[in-house]
């Protein structure tokens, strides 16, 4: 057992010796690294890296402080012998000057020993730095700073010049665009296709005019050639004429095609030219073209009237659904509340006579929305028997907040009969029926276009003539504001009740502009009854928004005046149709003109109205055939009406009345 124990002891001894040698080597390497760092620090502090005067002065102050001992300064340099051990373990000796030592070294004296603390020096150094802070970590030469400032100044100046130049160029471009717009001719110069190739044919106008003239001459010569049995030249003229018409339709005004046609025409001229015969042919063609134009105009007017009377399917669906639900209600639920205020003269009363549920709802909604005191507004709605249930059901379900609604049936006015009302008596006569309904006997659409206008239901409905019986319909009211169903209210209308009518019966906005919309447009001044009693240049006014003084109405017997003139017009010799002509006669010299801002008309026929006047108006009126609920409506005016339609209403959704339909 001794040999193994001896070998173990020997191994442990060797291991201890190796560990001891490794520790000694580590200590020597650490001492050498420490000495190297110390020498490098002394060299760095001995050779300053700063070149600015402030840094040099500060370094000198720190060096002076480091050499201070007791109360006196060391005035001469001292050689100091330093001993140290290198990495190999050998002892070495080195001579160092005292001025080259760093501030971390301390000097001891026998009489007054004082160690200069490096913390004190660091504190003093920070204090000096705080007293004179450096703006930049590396100060630059003054010349370089001046160059930098000059470069920045040039950059700023160039930026300002570019901005100013850009504004100037923009102003010039804007002025040039305005000047070009002034000289731009918006009239159509025989360009019948919007897909013109303007840049390919700079003389397209003259080329088009030439081609059109050639087609006319080709037709004339073709007619002569056919009469003389010149088949070859006839076929050639017809063929080139069709090609030219096709080119015009495609907006390809090719001068080569015009030259080909000119060559054929020259051949035809050499064979068939006769001045008298050609003049006769051209005259016949002119008369035929004029007749075609007149026929197209009549068809257009006829179709426009037909489209204006046609009710879109969704609007026809709405009253049907409402009527069905109305008759499912109990008798108690068919009554409106607040019926006591219907005859209160201190409130603001409106009269609306209509058979259009959706249009009437827009009038009521827009009025209530802009009213400052909705609870003081009362709406009296009169409709016909066919739409009474639908109209009442709509306002039972969609009653405006705070306002009072009354819906009446015109057939319930038993006093309104043919013995009292001349219009009803005339409508029941055979001659009036023939006058209004004979258009269906015509052989063509164009031939019946003149009478088709008279067949418009509004001229045959008593709702249109009920406005002349307001005191009979509302006997306990003093004032009432009459509104058509094709208007939209954009402001509070309550100030109208404060307008002084100066003893007049009717307050309305005048519509005459120079010679337009004056009495001679509506009345037959060739009849002595008209010419002896009225001025042809008198200014007309508009129904649609009228303030009527019912007290003054009764005093002056306005309804009696209306009856008298209606009886005189039984043969339709004073005016043709409508309610405006008898209104102008009945309220002649009894109408007070209101400010034009109250009522702007023309949104149903004039696409060139002033947009600012429309937006600032209290009431806008879609008078004309282009009603806002029809496809015929002028698109840019539709939004003024459709914004007051309640599109999320279940009835409107059920009938597919949405924003897409009315936009």
């Amino acid at each position: 057992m001794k040999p193994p124990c001896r070998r173990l002891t020997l191994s442990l001894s060797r291991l201890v010796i190796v560990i001891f040698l490794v520790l000694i080597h580590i200590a020597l390497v650490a001492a050498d690294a420490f000495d190297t760092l110390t020498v490098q620090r002394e060299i760095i502090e001995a050779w300053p890296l700063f070149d600015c005067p402030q840094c040099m002065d500060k370094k000198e102050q720190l060096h002076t402080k480091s050499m201070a001992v007791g109360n006196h300064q060391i005035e001469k340099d001292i050689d100091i012998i330093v001993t140290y051990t290198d990495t190999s373990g050998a002892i070495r000796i080195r001579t160092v000057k005292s001025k080259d030592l760093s501030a971390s070294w301390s000097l001891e004296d026998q009489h007054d020993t004082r160690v200069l603390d490096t913390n004190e020096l660091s504190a003093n150094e920070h204090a000096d730095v705080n007293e004179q802070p450096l703006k930049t970590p590396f100060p630059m030469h003054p010349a370089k700073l001046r160059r930098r400032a000059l470069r920045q100044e040039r950059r700023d100046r160039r930026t300002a010049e570019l901005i100013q130049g850009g504004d100037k160029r923009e102003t010039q471009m804007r002025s040039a665009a305005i000047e070009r717009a002034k000289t731009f001719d918006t009239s159509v110069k025989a360009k019948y296709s919007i897909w013109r190739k303007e840049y390919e044919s700079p003389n397209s106008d003259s080329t088009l005019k030439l081609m059109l003239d050639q087609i006319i001459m080709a037709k004339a010569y073709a007619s002569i050639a056919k009469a003389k049995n010149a088949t070859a030249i006839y076929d050639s003229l017809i063929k080139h004429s069709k090609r030219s018409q096709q080119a015009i339709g495609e907006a390809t005004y090719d001068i080569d095609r015009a030259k080909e046609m000119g060559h054929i025409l020259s051949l035809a001229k050499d064979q068939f030219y006769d001045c008298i015969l050609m003049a006769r042919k051209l005259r016949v063609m002119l008369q035929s073209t004029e007749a075609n134009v007149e026929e197209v105009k009549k068809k257009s007017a006829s179709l426009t009237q037909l489209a204006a009377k046609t009710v879109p399917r969704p609007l026809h669906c709405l009253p049907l659904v409402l009527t069905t639900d109305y008759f499912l209600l109990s008798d108690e639920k068919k009554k409106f509340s607040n019926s006591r205020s219907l005859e209160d003269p201190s409130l603001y009363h409106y009269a609306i006579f209509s058979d259009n549920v959706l249009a009437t709802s827009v009038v009521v909604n827009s009025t209530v929305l802009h009213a400052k005191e909705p609870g003081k507004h009362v709406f009296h709605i009169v409709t016909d028997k066919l739409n009474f249930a639908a109209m009442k059901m709509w306002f039972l379900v969609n009653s405006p907040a705070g306002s009072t609604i009354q819906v009446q049936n015109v057939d319930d006015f038993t006093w309104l009969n043919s013995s009292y009302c001349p219009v009803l008596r005339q409508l029941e006569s055979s001659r009036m029926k023939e006058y209004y309904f004979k258009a269906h006997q015509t052989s063509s659409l164009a031939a019946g276009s003149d009478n088709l206008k008279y067949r418009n239901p509004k001229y045959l409905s008593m709702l249109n003539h009920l406005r002349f019986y307001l005191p009979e319909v509302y006997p306990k009211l003093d004032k009432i504001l009459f509104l058509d169903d094709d208007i939209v209210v954009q402001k509070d209308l309550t100030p109208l009740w404060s307008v002084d009518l100066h003893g007049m019966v009717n307050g309305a906005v005048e519509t005459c502009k120079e010679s337009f919309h004056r009495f001679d447009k509506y009345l037959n001044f060739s009849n002595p009854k008209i010419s002896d009693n009225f001025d042809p240049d008198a200014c007309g006014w508009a129904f649609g928004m009228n303030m009527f003084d019912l007290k003054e109405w009764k005093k002056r017997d306005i309804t009696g005046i209306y009856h008298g003139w209606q009886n005189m017009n039984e043969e339709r010799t004073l005016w043709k149709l409508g309610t405006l002509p008898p209104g102008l006669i009945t309220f002649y010299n009894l109408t007070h003109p209101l400010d034009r801002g109250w009522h702007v008309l023309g949104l149903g026929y004039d696409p060139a109205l002033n947009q600012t006047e429309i937006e600032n108006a209290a009431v806008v009126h879609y008078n004309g055939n282009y009603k806002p609920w029809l496809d015929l409506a002028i698109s840019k005016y539709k939004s003024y009406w459709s914004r007051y339609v309640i599109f999320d209403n279940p009835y409107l959704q059920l009938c597919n009345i949405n924003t897409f339909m009315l936009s």
Side-chain angles (χ1 to χ4, degrees):
M1 296 298 293
K2 287 184 178 180
C5 293
R6 186 179 300 167
R7 284 195 298 269
L8 178 60
T9 303
L10 182 59
S11 299
L12 292 174
S13 301
R14 290 176 182 175
L15 181 60
V16 171
I17 293 171
V18 171
I19 294 174
F20 179 75
L21 292 175
V22 170
L23 292 175
I24 292 174
H25 181 72
I26 292 174
L28 291 175
V29 172
D32 184 69
F34 177 79
D35 184 72
T36 303
L37 292 174
T38 303
V39 173
Q40 289 178 355
R41 184 172 57 187
E42 290 174 356
I43 293 172
I44 291 172
E45 293 182 358
W47 297 95
L49 300 177
F50 303 97
D51 55 354
C52 62
Q54 296 87 350
C55 298
M56 293 298 294
D57 294 341
K58 186 179 295 184
K59 193 65 180 178
E60 290 177 359
Q61 293 174 7
L62 293 174
H63 184 68
T64 303
K65 290 181 180 180
S66 66
M67 298 302 294
V69 179
N71 296 326
H72 62 278
Q73 301 289 337
I74 298 176
E75 297 178 359
K76 61 181 180 179
D77 198 3
I78 300 175
D79 295 331
I80 301 174
I81 298 173
V82 180
T83 60
Y84 63 95
T85 305
D86 60 3
T87 56
S88 62
I91 299 175
R92 295 182 180 275
I93 300 175
R94 181 183 175 186
T95 303
V96 181
K97 298 293 186 180
S98 61
K99 64 179 182 180
D100 295 334
L101 294 176
S102 64
S104 63
W105 289 80
S106 61
L107 192 63
E108 295 183 0
D109 190 271
Q110 294 179 356
H111 304 285
D112 186 8
T113 302
R114 181 178 179 183
V115 179
L116 297 179
D117 191 0
T118 56
N119 294 331
E120 181 182 354
L121 295 176
S122 300
N124 294 334
E125 183 179 359
H126 288 304
D128 293 339
V129 172
N130 293 331
E131 291 176 2
Q132 295 182 357
L134 296 177
K135 295 183 179 179
T136 59
F138 300 102
M140 291 182 293
H141 195 276
K144 189 174 182 180
L145 291 173
R146 285 196 298 273
R147 287 196 300 272
R148 176 176 289 184
L150 290 174
R151 283 197 299 271
Q152 185 63 32
E153 183 180 352
R154 285 196 299 271
R155 290 195 193 99
D156 296 341
R157 186 166 57 251
R158 179 59 178 165
T159 302
E161 291 176 357
L162 290 175
I163 293 174
Q164 185 177 3
D167 294 341
K168 186 181 296 184
R169 281 192 294 272
E170 185 179 356
T171 304
Q172 292 175 354
M173 291 174 62
R174 195 173 296 172
S175 302
I178 293 174
E179 293 299 327
R180 184 177 180 184
K182 291 180 181 178
T183 59
F184 182 71
D185 187 7
T186 58
S187 60
V188 178
K189 296 182 179 179
K191 290 183 174 64
Y192 301 106
S193 176
I194 62 173
W195 307 107
R196 307 194 306 263
K197 297 184 179 180
E198 297 177 346
Y199 300 104
E200 295 183 5
S201 180
N203 298 321
S204 57
D205 286 340
S206 59
T207 305
L208 175 62
K209 184 177 180 181
L210 175 62
M211 294 176 70
L212 291 173
D213 292 341
Q214 288 177 341
I215 291 173
I216 294 173
M217 296 300 296
K219 289 181 178 179
Y221 279 119
S223 176
I224 298 174
K226 186 176 182 181
K228 294 186 178 183
N229 294 324
T231 308
I233 191 68
Y234 171 79
D235 293 340
S236 181
L237 288 170
I238 294 298
K239 181 178 70 174
H240 284 82
S241 178
K242 290 181 178 179
R243 289 181 178 177
S244 296
Q245 290 177 346
Q246 183 179 2
I248 292 175
E250 296 175 353
T252 54
Y253 312 141
D254 190 359
I255 191 65
D256 295 334
R257 189 176 298 279
K259 290 179 180 179
E260 293 177 4
M261 175 66 90
H263 177 68
I264 299 299
L265 288 175
S266 64
L267 295 177
K269 180 180 178 181
D270 294 339
Q271 296 184 28
F272 310 115
Y273 182 74
D274 185 348
C275 184
I276 298 176
L277 182 61
M278 181 59 66
R280 189 181 300 119
K281 289 290 182 182
L282 293 176
R283 189 178 299 111
V284 171
M285 291 174 62
L286 177 62
Q287 293 175 353
S288 175
T289 303
E290 290 178 349
N292 290 337
V293 170
E294 290 299 323
E295 184 178 1
V296 170
K297 286 183 178 179
K298 290 180 179 180
K299 288 182 178 179
S300 176
S302 177
L303 293 174
T304 301
Q305 293 292 334
L306 183 62
K309 298 199 312 266
T310 303
V311 179
R313 180 179 296 178
L315 297 185
H316 183 65
C317 162
L318 182 62
L320 295 179
V321 176
L322 289 169
T323 301
T324 302
D325 288 353
Y326 177 78
F327 287 109
L328 295 176
L329 295 177
S330 60
D331 293 338
E332 296 180 356
K333 294 182 179 180
K334 292 180 181 179
K335 297 179 181 179
F336 289 103
S337 59
N338 300 329
S339 58
R340 297 180 180 178
S341 57
L342 295 176
E343 297 179 348
D344 187 352
S346 64
L347 301 179
Y348 307 113
H349 295 265
Y350 300 84
I352 306 172
F353 305 149
S354 173
D355 58 358
N356 190 324
V357 176
L358 187 62
T360 305
S361 71
V362 170
V363 177
V364 175
N365 291 342
S366 60
T367 305
V368 174
L369 183 63
H370 294 94
K372 295 181 179 179
E373 297 178 298
K376 293 185 177 181
H377 294 257
V378 183
F379 296 91
H380 303 271
I381 302 171
V382 181
T383 186
D384 55 13
K385 183 192 299 183
L386 185 63
N387 295 280
F388 172 73
M391 188 76 72
K392 193 169 184 180
M393 183 63 190
W394 174 269
F395 286 102
L396 284 171
V397 178
N398 304 284
S399 179
S403 301
T404 303
I405 299 291
Q406 180 189 28
V407 179
Q408 294 175 284
N409 184 359
V410 67
D411 294 329
D412 293 338
F413 301 151
T414 55
W415 51 267
L416 194 64
N417 49 54
S418 58
S419 61
Y420 176 68
C421 179
V423 173
L424 280 177
R425 184 176 65 254
Q426 293 169 8
L427 290 176
E428 292 175 358
S429 66
S430 58
R431 286 183 301 174
M432 186 65 70
K433 290 179 180 179
E434 182 184 4
Y435 178 73
Y436 275 106
F437 296 103
K438 70 179 180 180
H440 71 280
Q441 301 174 0
T442 57
S443 57
S444 65
L445 183 64
S449 61
D450 292 337
N451 297 323
L452 187 63
K453 183 177 181 180
Y454 304 148
R455 297 174 64 197
N456 195 317
K458 73 176 185 178
Y459 299 120
L460 306 176
S461 173
M462 271 309 299
L463 288 176
N464 201 39
H465 296 270
L466 192 61
R467 65 193 68 188
F468 295 103
Y469 301 94
L470 288 174
E472 286 84 349
V473 180
Y474 310 109
K476 296 185 179 180
L477 299 181
D478 297 334
K479 274 188 175 184
I480 195 166
L481 183 64
F482 173 78
L483 297 177
D484 269 343
D485 61 357
D486 55 352
I487 65 101
V488 174
V489 178
Q490 300 185 132
K491 292 183 180 179
D492 184 21
L493 299 182
T494 52
L496 282 172
W497 274 263
S498 302
V499 175
D500 186 5
L501 298 181
H502 300 284
M504 302 296 178
V505 180
N506 176 27
V509 172
E510 294 182 337
T511 57
C512 55
K513 297 178 181 179
E514 297 178 356
S515 61
F516 186 60
H517 283 183
R518 297 188 181 273
F519 271 44
D520 58 352
K521 178 182 171 143
Y522 304 100
L523 305 177
N524 180 19
F525 276 87
S526 63
N527 191 305
K529 295 179 180 179
I530 297 296
S531 58
D532 294 344
N533 292 281
F534 305 101
D535 180 8
D537 295 327
C539 187
W541 45 269
F543 275 121
M545 190 208 72
N546 305 83
M547 176 59 70
F548 290 111
D549 187 341
L550 300 184
K551 285 186 176 181
E552 199 69 27
W553 183 308
K554 297 173 185 177
K555 185 187 300 183
R556 296 177 180 268
D557 191 19
I558 298 300
T559 304
I561 296 174
Y562 166 71
H563 284 170
W565 284 102
Q566 278 288 356
N567 288 326
M568 285 188 284
N569 193 48
E570 188 167 358
E571 301 294 331
R572 301 174 306 282
T573 57
L574 305 183
W575 67 87
K576 286 188 177 181
L577 74 168
T579 56
L580 182 57
L584 296 176
I585 291 176
T586 303
F587 296 101
Y588 184 66
N589 290 332
L590 295 175
T591 300
H592 174 73
L594 299 176
D595 186 87
R596 291 184 182 273
W598 282 110
H599 189 189
V600 171
L601 299 100
L603 278 74
Y605 68 89
D606 188 0
L609 293 177
N610 188 305
Q611 203 77 12
T612 304
E613 292 183 359
I614 295 175
E615 294 174 356
N616 295 333
V619 172
V620 292
H621 194 173
Y622 292 83
N623 57 313
N625 288 326
Y626 305 144
K627 301 300 182 185
W629 53 83
L630 300 177
D631 293 336
L632 295 173
I634 301 172
S635 58
K636 66 179 180 179
Y637 298 151
K638 275 190 173 183
S639 60
Y640 297 106
W641 186 84
S642 61
R643 67 183 62 170
Y644 298 104
V645 178
I646 310 174
F647 289 107
D648 58 351
N649 185 277
Y651 289 106
L652 300 188
Q653 294 178 351
L654 182 62
C655 292
N656 199 25
I657 300 176
N658 48 42
T659 54
F660 178 77
M661 171 193 168
L662 300 176
S663 61

